[in-house]
Amino acid sequence: TLDIRRKELFCLLGGSGSGKSTLLRMLAGFETPTSGAIEIEGRDMVGIDPADRPVNMMFQSYALFPHMNVFDNIAYGLKRMGMAKAARAERVAEMLRLVRMEEFAKRKPHQMSGGQRQRVALARSLARGPKLLLLDEPLSALDRKLREETQFELMDIFDKTGTTFVVVTHDQEEAMTLATRIGVMDRGKLVQVDTPQRIYEFPKNRLIADFVGNVNLLEAAVVGEVNGLARLDCPAIGHEVRAICEGPVPQPGTPVTLAIRPEKITLGSGYPAVVEDYASRGDVTRYRLRLQGGGTLDVSRANRARAGEQDITWDMPVHFDFAPEGAIMLRE
């Protein structure tokens, strides 16, 4: 069971085959659920034709009519619903202003870039004023930089229209940027539904921790509890460590997983390790440490100064540490 709030930008996030696109198609009416109900403002949509639902869908391919210009593409649905010509022109002009495409009204799809076609498809989807807009991988056809810019444009359009958006994506960064809430799917089930921050900082299990962002997952066993924190024996680190535990701490001896995000780890003091590899990505340097008890640990270090970090290199002994609040114990 899932409740999506009115005027919410909700993301369905999951890998290939997780069921997110099937769920989207059920919302649109292209698939019929074998049981249960799909309600929009209290009205069950199961059995109602897609064209008669207060829903519109923006496809991954954009599906613009190649023989029509931008104006006619946006006006098509309005014409089909019988809107008067003058009112139709006014509505299309409003949509063109919304997506900042006024000067492209007479162009055809092949005369525009991928980002421009994406905005036209969005304008066409919003033209009829749906209560619910479904977006299937809406930014996947764009290059990385344009995709990042368009994410903010999409959020701005969402704020202006007040329409409920449901976005399907496999891109966790996109979901984290866009969503007010995220539903993580795996094998047809919603594993966790929460805000982006909660899903990143407090994943429910290993699958979510590993899927959303970069994370170190280390085998551990419960030793006990102190001040609301779990005390864990972590053989890879070779020392007892402490971590946040959502809910009661399990009995001593219970096998668990210690999850630590790379950016939560500091270098300079603490537990011993050896630098196995490192690489600079410009804004951050990523280190891979070989742990005393076997296994590796990824650490990210922000490059705040213009000069690169020259003090750490391959095969160098280092020490690392993390605050207990920067790690979390996972039961599954």
Side-chain angles (χ1 to χ4, degrees):
T1 298
L2 171 66
D3 290 323
I4 297 173
R5 300 162 190 155
R6 185 186 284 107
K7 299 182 181 180
E8 180 173 29
L9 203 165
F10 189 92
C11 272
L12 287 167
L13 177 65
S16 298
S18 61
K20 58 190 188 299
S21 291
T22 302
L23 179 52
L24 200 74
R25 289 176 63 82
M26 286 194 293
L27 291 172
F30 302 138
E31 300 280 356
T32 303
T34 50
S35 62
I38 296 171
E39 295 184 358
I40 297 178
E41 295 185 338
R43 183 186 176 197
D44 192 354
M45 294 288 121
V46 175
I48 295 177
D49 190 78
D52 296 326
R53 299 186 183 198
V55 175
N56 217 332
M57 187 165 180
M58 179 177 155
F59 294 94
Q60 185 176 346
S61 64
Y62 307 148
L64 298 176
F65 299 114
H67 62 289
M68 292 184 186
N69 62 26
V70 168
F71 185 98
D72 291 337
N73 261 286
I74 298 172
Y76 181 79
L78 303 174
K79 188 177 180 180
R80 293 275 296 176
M81 66 186 285
M83 183 181 284
K85 188 173 182 180
R88 196 162 68 230
E90 186 178 333
R91 180 63 174 167
V92 172
E94 182 187 345
M95 291 295 100
L96 287 169
R97 285 193 299 272
L98 181 68
V99 297
R100 301 197 309 249
M101 291 289 287
E102 300 101 307
E103 61 192 274
F104 297 92
K106 298 303 178 185
R107 291 198 187 181
K108 291 189 176 178
H110 73 273
Q111 296 172 313
M112 296 182 295
S113 68
Q116 290 165 343
R117 288 195 296 271
Q118 188 261 359
R119 280 189 271 172
V120 175
L122 183 59
R124 185 180 64 179
S125 300
L126 289 166
R128 292 181 60 169
K131 292 178 180 176
L132 174 63
L133 180 62
L134 310 174
L135 301 100
D136 186 11
E137 303 277 2
L139 309 180
S140 62
L142 308 181
D143 63 63
R144 183 180 178 85
K145 189 170 183 180
L146 184 57
R147 189 163 65 242
E148 290 174 352
E149 292 172 359
T150 309
Q151 286 170 4
F152 289 105
E153 290 182 359
L154 191 60
M155 291 165 67
D156 185 49
I157 290 167
F158 163 72
D159 285 336
K160 288 177 179 175
T161 61
T163 303
T164 304
F165 282 27
V166 175
V167 180
V168 156
T169 182
H170 67 274
D171 187 325
Q172 33 116 343
E173 288 183 15
E174 187 171 294
M176 295 286 289
T177 302
L178 292 174
T180 49
R181 285 191 306 152
I182 296 172
V184 183
M185 295 195 70
D186 179 50
R187 289 176 288 184
K189 293 184 179 180
L190 280 160
V191 185
Q192 184 172 354
V193 178
D194 219 324
T195 63
Q197 184 179 14
R198 287 278 309 173
I199 282 181
Y200 186 81
E201 299 289 357
F202 300 99
K204 188 176 180 181
N205 56 30
R206 286 180 65 120
L207 180 144
I208 295 172
D210 198 25
F211 188 73
V212 179
N214 297 312
V215 69
N216 297 287
L217 298 173
L218 303 174
E219 301 298 329
V222 175
V223 174
E225 180 181 358
V226 59
N227 298 327
L229 296 169
R231 294 171 51 215
L232 306 177
D233 173 35
C234 185
I237 294 177
H239 292 77
E240 182 182 302
V241 298
R242 297 178 184 185
I244 289 174
C245 176
E246 289 273 274
V249 175
Q251 292 294 316
T254 303
V256 293
T257 299
L258 175 66
I260 322 168
R261 301 287 184 188
E263 72 276 8
K264 309 287 189 188
I265 302 168
T266 58
L267 297 176
S269 63
Y271 311 108
V274 175
V275 177
E276 185 174 273
D277 208 351
Y278 76 96
S280 174
R281 295 186 179 178
D283 55 342
V284 297
T285 299
R286 298 293 300 271
Y287 298 92
R288 176 156 291 180
L289 308 184
R290 188 165 63 252
L291 299 177
Q292 198 174 45
T296 60
L297 191 76
D298 287 341
V299 180
S300 64
R301 195 179 193 186
N303 296 328
R304 296 184 177 89
R306 185 169 295 278
E309 300 285 356
Q310 301 295 329
D311 55 329
I312 299 176
T313 187
W314 291 281
D315 299 324
M316 180 178 284
V318 294
H319 287 79
F320 69 93
D321 204 356
F322 54 90
E325 295 77 14
I328 187 167
M329 186 211 81
L330 303 176
R331 292 176 172 79
E332 50 180 302

